Every structure is written in C-alpha cells, then in structure tokens.
Amino acid sequence: MGIPPRVLTVAGSDSGGGAGIQADLKTMLALGVHGMSVLTAVTAQNSRGVQGAWELPAEAVRAQFRSVVDDIGVQAVKTGMLASAELVETVAGLLAGVDAPVVVDPVGVSKHGDALLAASALDAVRTKLLPTATVATPNLDEVAWLTGVRVRTESDLRRAADAVLSHGPRWALIKGGHLAGDAVDLLTDGTEEHWLRAVRHDNRHTHGTGCTLASAIAARLAQGRSVPEAVADAKDYVTGAIAAGFPLGGGIGPVDHGWRFRNH
C-alpha cells in the first residue's frame, strides 16, 4: 500500500468538533490524505459560540511542528487560528523553512462573532504570515480587517483581492459567501482570474466552512493539483458539505465532512 500525501494543520481546537483542528482532520481523511496537527490553542466551544480560549506557549507550538516536519515530512500545510502576535510570528518563521504549499486561513473571528486572534496580531499576519502563503483564503470580514477594503457587491472582489495580494501571498481566494445571491468566490494571482460559483443552499448549519475549505485546498495541493484545480475541487467538496450540514445543540450546526461517504 502506498503512503498517502501528508498534510499538516496548524490551528486551534474546537471542542464541539465542527471547526478548527477537528474539521481539518475530518476533511483530510475524507479527501484521502494523512492529516497531522500542531495545536495552537484550546477553545471551549459549542453550537452557540466560544465560551473560552487558551493559547499554547510558542515553545509547544514550535516543538509540535519540528516533531512532525523533521521526522514525517509534509506535502502541504494549512494554518488557522493562531491567537496571538507571538504565535503568528512563530508559525511564520517555521513556515519559511518548509518547501511545500501553504494555505493560510487568516482566522480572526468565529462563525458566532467571537474573537480568535488578538488585535495586536494583525500587523504580524500582514507582514509575516501572508508572505508565506501559496494561497490566502480570507472571508469578507477578514478582508476588511486585514486591508480596510469593504466588499458590498461582487464587483468589489477584485479590489479586495488586489489588497490581499499586496501583502505577499502568491494567490488570494476572496470568499464571497456573505454576499447576496449565489456563493461566488474570486481566485487570482493578480494575472489570471478564476470565478467560482455555487448555488447557495438554504442551510444555516455552516459551522466550520472556512476551516474545511482551506484544508480541502491543502489536501488537493498535497496530491499534486494546481492551485486553480485544488480550489475548484475544494469548493465542490465544501458546497456538498454545506448541503448536508446538520443541527447539533441549540445553535449553528456543522457542515458534514463525511457527506461523500454517505452518498456512496
């Protein structure tokens, strides 16, 4: 039996299982890669929101990363919740030494509006983390937070992408899921553009969509796909996961990471 491609997620834990490290590893399993993890923070989290968050020491993050990369190796890395400026800088420094695609999901707030990154870390994300990214995957709130550009219509997505690209990622995927109408995203490297559209499902159980999309992109990049191919396939996977999302608890339920298994 061949060894599957190895993908590392550097992110926080979601105790409710819908987002964060848990969503990343489920996505990687579903897409046929071996998922590994560097835990950056622990959250007390459920369908209603985040009740508490505790970041790990930079030393612990560095040790986890080195343990995995130096022994097992990686074909792609995905970053999510990094909590503080110190952890952003630590992770960015580690990524600078990795010869593999990097997908940066610049997580700032949870689906429920809870802060997952200190305001003081914003400059480190712009100047240290984004330049390491093969693909950066901000949603519209994160675009505004990082660049000051506010997207109100589909025509604003180009301006948002240019602003994100100015901070150094090779590609920007601007997720337009918060706009009205179809779910439209723009992927661009500043030269070529790929517009990705999907029917918007009438489903409020969308917890973990950002983590899932970034992890799916990383999985496909690890399998040798080009960035446009990886992003298009990841969009299809997430669209299906949203359609199959289910209620848990009294708030917003998760997407269904295993929807393809059940459909077969």
Side-chain angles (χ1 to χ4, degrees), residues 119-163:
S120 59
L122 188 54
D123 192 55
V125 172
R126 292 191 195 104
T127 62
K128 303 285 177 62
L129 187 63
L130 286 178
T132 71
T134 307
V135 190
T137 65
N139 63 30
L140 301 187
D141 290 337
E142 289 156 356
V143 167
W145 178 67
L146 287 166
T147 70
V149 174
R150 299 200 173 274
V151 176
R152 293 182 173 85
T153 67
E154 191 175 308
S155 62
D156 294 328
L157 290 174
R158 277 198 184 96
R159 189 163 55 93
D162 288 343

Side-chain angles (χ1 to χ4, degrees), residues 1 8 24 28 42 95 97 118 183 193 216 232 239 241 245:
M1 175 182 275
L8 178 64
D24 298 339
M28 292 169 191
V42 175
L95 292 173
E193 288 184 351
T239 300

Side-chain angles (χ1 to χ4, degrees), residues 202-213:
D202 183 18
N203 185 345
R204 67 187 292 266
H205 301 300
T206 55
H207 185 52
T209 49
C211 305
T212 300
L213 179 67

